[in-house]
Each structure stands twice: as structure tokens, then as C-alpha cells.
């Protein structure tokens, strides 16, 4: 089977992991590839927080989901909420643009400067979800099983991570090892989802 086809057919949400830990280097490789994800205006408005200790506490924050407390590592994808043309973060990105720096900054000004913090978070979160899809597929390609976790107490998670208010938790992914066979995919048919005009 083609490489990507194999991943799409067989990646699944794993909810029971072995106790064996994943090598930290493998986690780094997964994040290193995930960071190549495309993003609107190439802003890369994310941070990846890897948690390998205190997973019991994280599991509790994720409404006691055992696939979090029993995982090897969890990744919290954080959405940036400081997308303003005057922010240091944007200025640093602008510096890397040899051409079109002024145009870039005026684009950010027109896109971001009038948005509320919630709107900025929503905009950044869309990009984080793209990274999320890549992350779980990359992990699978490296023999690492995963479960996407959208069920968490955002306030408690923000407090637990304590990274400042320019970053907001978007989604959690638990990662671990398992020998379990991929279950049969249950999905709508192509006819159900395809509209061809
Ligand atoms: C945004 C999002 C949030 C999710 N949150 C949870 C969650 O909190 N707990 C969980 O066990 N699975 C969660 N899932 C996994 C879905 O239940 C799962 O992807 C879906 O049932 C399809 O199954 P599959 O991933 O095995 O193909 C989430 C998936 C997505 C995309």
C-alpha cells in the first residue's frame, strides 16, 4: 500500500498504551517535522509543549481520560494570541523576509490589529489544527500511537502550563506505544461527503 494511504487507513485513536516510554528523540523528530506545517501568512502561530511528567495531573485536567494519564508523552498545541503587527514575535518574522517586509507588516496590520484576542486565538487555532493532523500522522509513521484530546478544562490547563497569556491551549495529543491492531475504519462513504460541481 502507498505510504500515505497506509497512514490514512490505519492511524487510529489509541486509548490504551504500553507502559514503555517513547524515546525523547523520537518525540523531537515528530515535532521537528510537524513544525513544517503550512500556515496562513506563514505566521506559524503555534508552540508545542511536550509533557512527560505529571501526566496524572494532566489526565485529571482532561476530564480523567486515562489515555492521557497513561500515555508516554502528551503534546499541547498552543495557539498564539499576540498576532499584532507591533509584537516582537511578528517583528522577528518580518526580519526574516528579505523582500516584501513592509507589505507583510501592513497585511498583518489589516488582518490582525483590529481583531479581538478571541478572534486572534480562533485564527491561530485554525493553523494549530493543521499541525495537529500532521502530528498524528507523522507519529503513526514513526510507530507512535496517538489520541487527539479536545476534552480538557481550558482554564485549568492554562494554569497548569503557566506560559503567559500570549499562548492559549488549543488541543492536546497523547502519544504512546501499543501493539494493538488498527480497528476497521468507520467513515461516511465518498458519495456522502463529495459534492462535485
Ligand atoms: C478535535 C478533536 C477532539 C477530540 N477529542 C477527543 C477526546 O477528548 N477524547 C478522545 O478519546 N478522543 C477524542 N478525539 C478522537 C475522536 O474521537 C476520533 O478521532 C474519532 O472517533 C475517529 O476515530 P479514529 O481517530 O480512531 O479514526 C478527538 C478528535 C478530534 C479531531
Amino acid at each position: 500500500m502507498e505510504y500515505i494511504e497506509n497512514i490514512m487507513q490505519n492511524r487510529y485513536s489509541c486509548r490504551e498504551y504500553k507502559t514503555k516510554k517513547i524515546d525523547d528523540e523520537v518525540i523531537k523528530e515528530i515535532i521537528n517535522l510537524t513544525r513544517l506545517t503550512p500556515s496562513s501568512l506563514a505566521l506559524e502561530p503555534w508552540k508545542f509543549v511536550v509533557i512527560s511528567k505529571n501526566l496524572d495531573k494532566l489526565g485529571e485536567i482532561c476530564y480523567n481520560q486515562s489515555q492521557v494519564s497513561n500515555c508516554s508523552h502528551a503534546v499541547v498545541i498552543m495557539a498564539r494570541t499576540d498576532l499584532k503587527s507591533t509584537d516582537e514575535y511578528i517583528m522577528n518574522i518580518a526580519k526574516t523576509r528579505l523582500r516584501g517586509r513592509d507589505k507583510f507588516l501592513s497585511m498583518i496590520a489589516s488582518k490582525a490589529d483590529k481583531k479581538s484576542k478571541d478572534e486572534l486565538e480562533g485564527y491561530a487555532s485554525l493553523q494549530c489544527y493543521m499541525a495537529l493532523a500532521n502530528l498524528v500522522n507523522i507519529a503513526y509513521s514513526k510507530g507512535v500511537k496517538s489520541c487527539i484530546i479536545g476534552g480538557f478544562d481550558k482554564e485549568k490547563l492554562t494554569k497548569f502550563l503557566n506560559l503567559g497569556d500570549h499562548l492559549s491551549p488549543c488541543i492536546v495529543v497523547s502519544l504512546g506505544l501499543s501493539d494493538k491492531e488498527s480497528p476497521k475504519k468507520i467513515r461516511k462513504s465518498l458519495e456522502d461527503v463529495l459534492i462535485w460541481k
Side-chain angles (χ1 to χ4, degrees):
M1 204 189 289
E2 292 292 327
Y3 186 66
I4 194 76
E5 190 178 337
N6 174 40
I7 296 171
M8 292 308 289
Q9 291 286 2
N10 292 310
R11 183 227 42 94
Y12 68 97
S13 294
C14 186
R15 296 184 176 92
E16 263 174 64
Y17 299 114
K18 292 200 237 180
T19 47
K20 189 173 184 291
K21 282 274 188 186
I22 303 161
D23 198 327
D24 283 349
E25 281 309 307
V26 175
I27 300 289
K28 270 193 203 158
E29 276 176 44
I30 294 169
I31 304 296
N32 197 28
L33 288 171
T34 301
R35 75 180 171 80
L36 303 178
T37 296
S39 56
S40 171
L41 291 171
L43 290 176
E44 301 170 53
W46 46 56
K47 286 270 184 186
F48 303 94
V49 185
V50 176
I51 300 169
S52 58
K53 295 180 201 120
N54 224 348
L55 287 161
D56 279 344
K57 178 70 193 161
L58 183 64
E60 209 182 295
I61 292 168
C62 296
Y63 306 125
N64 300 312
Q65 298 195 60
S66 61
Q67 66 273 39
V68 177
S69 40
N70 296 332
C71 75
S72 167
H73 295 67
V75 181
V76 186
I77 307 182
M78 308 291 288
R80 296 203 73 119
T81 57
D82 56 350
L83 303 176
K84 289 260 183 287
S85 59
T86 47
D87 262 302
E88 200 188 339
Y89 164 68
I90 297 290
M91 291 307 227
N92 284 335
I93 294 179
K95 273 188 215 151
T96 65
R97 306 208 168 209
L98 296 176
R99 279 179 291 158
R101 185 178 310 172
D102 292 344
K103 195 170 166 217
F104 170 73
L105 285 173
S106 71
M107 287 260 277
I108 304 292
S110 69
K111 274 216 171 244
D113 289 2
K114 290 181 203 85
K115 283 191 165 64
S116 68
K117 204 164 175 211
D118 280 354
E119 286 171 328
L120 287 175
E121 185 179 336
Y123 176 63
S125 295
L126 295 176
Q127 333 298 320
C128 290
Y129 276 98
M130 296 215 29
L132 166 71
N134 283 333
L135 195 156
V136 293
N137 286 328
I138 293 162
Y140 189 80
S141 78
K142 295 194 172 293
V144 170
K145 305 293 172 10
S146 64
C147 188
I148 299 169
I149 305 289
F152 58 84
D153 184 318
K154 193 172 170 187
E155 210 175 302
K156 285 188 186 161
L157 184 54
T158 305
K159 211 166 158 194
F160 173 71
L161 298 171
N162 191 26
L163 291 168
D165 70 354
H166 64 298
L167 292 170
S168 180
C170 173
I171 194 89
V172 179
V173 187
S174 70
L175 299 169
L177 300 170
S178 170
D179 295 331
K180 206 181 141 228
E181 294 251 317
S182 309
K184 195 178 172 307
K185 276 269 167 248
I186 302 167
R187 289 294 190 268
K188 291 180 183 171
S189 70
L190 182 62
E191 294 70 40
D192 280 338
V193 298
L194 175 66
I195 301 171
W196 198 305
K197 287 215 181 242

Short mmCIF file of all heavy atoms in Angstrom, two decimals, residues 1 3 13 15-16 31 33-34 49 63 72 90-91 105 119 129 133 137 152 157 166 176 182 184:
data_model
loop_
_atom_site.label_atom_id
_atom_site.label_comp_id
_atom_site.label_asym_id
_atom_site.label_seq_id
_atom_site.Cartn_x
_atom_site.Cartn_y
_atom_site.Cartn_z
N MET A 1 0.85 -1.19 0.00
CA MET A 1 0.00 0.00 0.00
C MET A 1 0.89 1.25 0.00
O MET A 1 1.95 1.25 0.61
CB MET A 1 -0.87 0.00 1.26
CG MET A 1 -2.15 0.81 1.14
SD MET A 1 -3.00 0.98 2.72
CE MET A 1 -3.61 -0.67 3.00
N TYR A 3 2.52 4.70 0.93
CA TYR A 3 2.91 5.16 2.27
C TYR A 3 1.81 5.99 2.93
O TYR A 3 1.35 5.69 4.03
CB TYR A 3 4.19 5.98 2.10
CG TYR A 3 4.83 6.42 3.37
CD1 TYR A 3 5.38 5.48 4.26
CD2 TYR A 3 4.91 7.77 3.68
CE1 TYR A 3 5.98 5.90 5.42
CE2 TYR A 3 5.51 8.18 4.85
CZ TYR A 3 6.04 7.25 5.71
OH TYR A 3 6.63 7.66 6.87
N SER A 13 -7.29 6.39 16.87
CA SER A 13 -7.18 6.97 18.21
C SER A 13 -6.92 5.85 19.21
O SER A 13 -7.80 5.02 19.45
CB SER A 13 -8.46 7.71 18.58
OG SER A 13 -8.61 8.82 17.73
N ARG A 15 -6.31 4.34 22.84
CA ARG A 15 -6.72 4.73 24.20
C ARG A 15 -6.12 3.82 25.27
O ARG A 15 -6.43 3.93 26.44
CB ARG A 15 -8.24 4.80 24.28
CG ARG A 15 -8.77 5.89 23.35
CD ARG A 15 -10.25 6.13 23.41
NE ARG A 15 -10.64 7.25 22.58
CZ ARG A 15 -11.05 7.16 21.30
NH1 ARG A 15 -11.14 5.98 20.73
NH2 ARG A 15 -11.35 8.24 20.62
N GLU A 16 -5.26 2.90 24.82
CA GLU A 16 -4.54 2.04 25.79
C GLU A 16 -3.10 1.91 25.35
O GLU A 16 -2.84 1.36 24.27
CB GLU A 16 -5.17 0.65 25.80
CG GLU A 16 -6.17 0.45 26.91
CD GLU A 16 -6.85 -0.91 26.77
OE1 GLU A 16 -6.14 -1.93 26.88
OE2 GLU A 16 -8.06 -0.91 26.49
N ILE A 31 7.97 16.43 16.34
CA ILE A 31 7.68 17.88 16.40
C ILE A 31 8.47 18.61 15.31
O ILE A 31 7.99 19.55 14.69
CB ILE A 31 8.01 18.46 17.80
CG1 ILE A 31 7.26 17.70 18.90
CG2 ILE A 31 7.71 19.97 17.84
CD1 ILE A 31 5.76 17.80 18.86
N LEU A 33 9.20 17.61 12.39
CA LEU A 33 8.50 17.52 11.09
C LEU A 33 7.18 18.27 11.14
O LEU A 33 6.80 18.92 10.17
CB LEU A 33 8.27 16.04 10.73
CG LEU A 33 9.54 15.29 10.33
CD1 LEU A 33 9.26 13.80 10.20
CD2 LEU A 33 10.08 15.82 9.00
N THR A 34 6.52 18.22 12.28
CA THR A 34 5.22 18.90 12.41
C THR A 34 5.37 20.41 12.19
O THR A 34 4.51 21.05 11.61
CB THR A 34 4.61 18.63 13.80
OG1 THR A 34 4.45 17.22 13.96
CG2 THR A 34 3.27 19.31 13.98
N VAL A 49 4.03 22.13 23.38
CA VAL A 49 4.52 21.88 24.74
C VAL A 49 4.47 20.38 24.98
O VAL A 49 3.41 19.76 24.89
CB VAL A 49 3.63 22.59 25.79
CG1 VAL A 49 4.21 22.42 27.18
CG2 VAL A 49 3.46 24.07 25.45
N TYR A 63 -10.42 15.80 32.02
CA TYR A 63 -11.63 15.11 32.50
C TYR A 63 -11.37 13.61 32.75
O TYR A 63 -12.16 12.75 32.33
CB TYR A 63 -12.79 15.32 31.52
CG TYR A 63 -13.07 16.78 31.23
CD1 TYR A 63 -13.08 17.29 29.94
CD2 TYR A 63 -13.30 17.66 32.29
CE1 TYR A 63 -13.32 18.64 29.70
CE2 TYR A 63 -13.53 19.02 32.05
CZ TYR A 63 -13.55 19.49 30.76
OH TYR A 63 -13.77 20.83 30.52
N SER A 72 2.73 8.08 27.19
CA SER A 72 4.17 8.28 27.39
C SER A 72 4.49 9.77 27.44
O SER A 72 5.15 10.27 28.35
CB SER A 72 4.92 7.60 26.25
OG SER A 72 6.26 7.99 26.21
N ILE A 90 6.02 39.08 15.70
CA ILE A 90 5.78 39.39 14.29
C ILE A 90 6.98 40.14 13.71
O ILE A 90 7.41 39.89 12.58
CB ILE A 90 4.49 40.24 14.13
CG1 ILE A 90 3.27 39.44 14.60
CG2 ILE A 90 4.32 40.71 12.68
CD1 ILE A 90 2.86 38.28 13.73
N MET A 91 7.54 41.05 14.51
CA MET A 91 8.71 41.81 14.04
C MET A 91 9.85 40.86 13.69
O MET A 91 10.54 41.05 12.70
CB MET A 91 9.19 42.79 15.13
CG MET A 91 8.24 43.92 15.38
SD MET A 91 7.83 44.78 13.88
CE MET A 91 8.01 46.41 14.35
N LEU A 105 4.03 43.45 6.91
CA LEU A 105 3.57 44.10 8.14
C LEU A 105 2.21 44.79 7.94
O LEU A 105 1.38 44.77 8.84
CB LEU A 105 4.62 45.11 8.64
CG LEU A 105 5.85 44.45 9.29
CD1 LEU A 105 6.92 45.49 9.61
CD2 LEU A 105 5.48 43.69 10.56
N GLU A 119 -10.73 36.50 18.64
CA GLU A 119 -10.68 36.30 17.18
C GLU A 119 -9.28 35.86 16.76
O GLU A 119 -9.13 34.98 15.91
CB GLU A 119 -11.06 37.60 16.46
CG GLU A 119 -12.54 37.90 16.51
CD GLU A 119 -12.90 39.28 15.99
OE1 GLU A 119 -12.09 40.22 16.15
OE2 GLU A 119 -13.99 39.42 15.44
N TYR A 129 -4.77 23.35 14.15
CA TYR A 129 -5.44 22.10 13.76
C TYR A 129 -4.76 21.45 12.55
O TYR A 129 -4.76 20.23 12.41
CB TYR A 129 -6.93 22.35 13.48
CG TYR A 129 -7.75 22.31 14.74
CD1 TYR A 129 -8.11 23.48 15.40
CD2 TYR A 129 -8.12 21.09 15.30
CE1 TYR A 129 -8.85 23.43 16.58
CE2 TYR A 129 -8.86 21.04 16.47
CZ TYR A 129 -9.21 22.21 17.11
OH TYR A 129 -9.92 22.16 18.27
N ALA A 133 -3.20 17.60 12.61
CA ALA A 133 -3.41 16.49 11.66
C ALA A 133 -2.07 15.91 11.23
O ALA A 133 -1.90 14.68 11.17
CB ALA A 133 -4.20 16.99 10.45
N ASN A 137 -0.35 11.97 12.14
CA ASN A 137 0.06 11.12 11.01
C ASN A 137 1.57 10.86 11.02
O ASN A 137 2.03 9.74 10.75
CB ASN A 137 -0.38 11.74 9.69
CG ASN A 137 -1.89 11.59 9.49
OD1 ASN A 137 -2.49 10.62 9.94
ND2 ASN A 137 -2.50 12.56 8.82
N PHE A 152 -10.82 19.00 27.57
CA PHE A 152 -9.99 19.44 28.71
C PHE A 152 -10.55 20.73 29.27
O PHE A 152 -11.26 21.46 28.58
CB PHE A 152 -8.51 19.61 28.30
CG PHE A 152 -8.28 20.59 27.18
CD1 PHE A 152 -8.18 21.95 27.41
CD2 PHE A 152 -8.16 20.14 25.86
CE1 PHE A 152 -7.96 22.84 26.36
CE2 PHE A 152 -7.94 21.02 24.80
CZ PHE A 152 -7.84 22.39 25.07
N LEU A 157 -5.93 23.98 32.42
CA LEU A 157 -4.74 23.65 31.61
C LEU A 157 -3.84 24.88 31.46
O LEU A 157 -2.61 24.79 31.55
CB LEU A 157 -5.16 23.09 30.24
CG LEU A 157 -4.04 22.61 29.33
CD1 LEU A 157 -3.14 21.59 30.03
CD2 LEU A 157 -4.59 21.99 28.04
N HIS A 166 -0.04 35.12 26.12
CA HIS A 166 0.12 35.21 24.66
C HIS A 166 -0.06 33.83 24.00
O HIS A 166 -0.02 33.71 22.78
CB HIS A 166 1.48 35.80 24.29
CG HIS A 166 2.64 34.93 24.72
ND1 HIS A 166 2.89 34.64 26.03
CD2 HIS A 166 3.58 34.28 23.99
CE1 HIS A 166 3.95 33.84 26.10
NE2 HIS A 166 4.38 33.61 24.87
N GLY A 176 1.85 7.39 22.68
CA GLY A 176 2.34 6.22 23.41
C GLY A 176 2.60 5.06 22.46
O GLY A 176 2.46 5.21 21.24
N SER A 182 -4.83 -1.90 14.16
CA SER A 182 -5.73 -0.78 13.85
C SER A 182 -7.14 -1.31 13.69
O SER A 182 -7.35 -2.28 12.96
CB SER A 182 -5.33 -0.13 12.53
OG SER A 182 -3.97 0.18 12.53
N LYS A 184 -11.04 -1.43 12.29
CA LYS A 184 -11.59 -1.11 10.96
C LYS A 184 -12.08 0.33 10.96
O LYS A 184 -12.71 0.78 11.92
CB LYS A 184 -12.75 -2.07 10.68
CG LYS A 184 -13.17 -2.12 9.24
CD LYS A 184 -14.30 -3.14 9.06
CE LYS A 184 -14.92 -3.10 7.69
NZ LYS A 184 -15.36 -1.82 7.22
#
